[in-house]
Amino acid sequence: MQHLRNKNSEQRLIELTGRLSRMATEDYYNPYRLFSWPQTLPEDELWMSEDLLSVSGTEVMNELSREQLLRLAKWESINFYSVNVHGIRELLTEVTSRLYAPGFEEFTDFLHHFIGEENEHAWFFAEFCRRYGGRVYALPGLKTQDPADRTTENFLVFAKILIFEEIVDYFNERMAEDASLPETVRQVNRVHHKDESRHIAFGRQLVEVLYSRVRDEATAQECARLEQYLKRYVTWCVQSLYNPAAYRDAGLAEPLALRSRILRDETRRQAERRYLRRPLTFLTKVGIFQDQTIQAV
Ligand SMILES: [Fe+2]
Ligand SMILES: [Fe+2]
C-alpha cells in the first residue's frame, strides 16, 4: 500500500516537472537585459517594507528617528539579498551534483532550468548589493549534519532548499506589492517571486517523494533526528535576517548588543511566525515535523 502511494506521488511529480519545465521555457528572460539599474536609488524612501524590518514591532523601532529607519531599511534590504546570494550558492552546489544522479533521472530537465535560474538570481541579487551598497555581506555558515546515506542526504538538501525558498518568497511577495518601495526594489522581488513559484511547487512534491523514500528505511528515532536538524536550519535562516553588520552600517550604536535586545523582544516571535507559517504548516502536514515548535533564536 505504502509502495503504491509512493509510486503515485512519483508519477504526479514527473508530470508536474514536465509542466514546470515548459513554463520555465516560455517565461525565460534575459536577466542581464531585464533590469535598468538606475545610478542611485532614492535615499529618502524605505528600501524594505516596514513590517519586514528586523526591528518591526519592537521597542527599538520606536526609538529610531526617521533618518535611522531609512538607513536601516537600506542595509536590511542589502542583507536580505546577501542572504539570498549565499543561500543560492550553497544550494546550487548540491543540486548540480545531483544532475543525472540515481533517483533524479526523471527530474533532470527541470533541474537544468532550476540551476540556470538560480545562477541568474544570485547575479541580480549580488548586482543590487554591489551597486547600491558596495558589498555583499558575508554570513556565518551552518554546521552541516553528520554524513548520512545518500537517500537521507537527498531529502535533507531539498527540504532545506524548500524551507529557504518559502521564507524568502514571503518577503518577495510582500515587497513586490509594496508601492512605497523604489521600483528597482519591487522589480527584483517581483522577478524572483515569479521563478520561485515554480521552484516551490516542484520542491513541495519532490520533498514528499524523497521523504517517503527515507521513511521506507528509517526508524522513528532517525526521523526525529532529521526533524531536529531541519528545525535548526529554520533557526539559522531566521537568525541570518538579524545581521549586526547591517545595524552597524545603518549607524546604530553597539550592533551586537542591539541585536540581542531585538531578538529578546517577544513581538519578534509573532513576526517570525508570519514568514514561517507556510513552510512549517507544509512540513507538519506531510509528517516531516511532528509539531511546529522551533528553538528560540
Ligand atoms: Fe532563487
Ligand atoms: Fe529557487
Side-chain angles (χ1 to χ4, degrees), residues 96-149:
T96 308
S97 74
R98 284 165 173 83
L99 276 175
Y100 303 98
F104 289 93
E105 297 90 341
E106 306 279 5
F107 321 124
T108 295
D109 205 36
F110 186 69
L111 291 184
H112 277 292
H113 286 288
F114 185 99
I115 291 166
E117 288 166 5
E118 289 303 346
N119 175 52
E120 290 164 357
H121 299 164
W123 176 79
F124 66 68
F125 282 134
E127 191 66 4
F128 185 99
C129 294
R130 286 188 309 229
R131 281 178 182 266
Y132 306 122
R135 82 205 63 175
V136 175
Y137 283 127
L139 281 188
L142 175 70
K143 191 180 159 295
T144 47
Q145 75 275 15
D146 298 330
D149 60 277

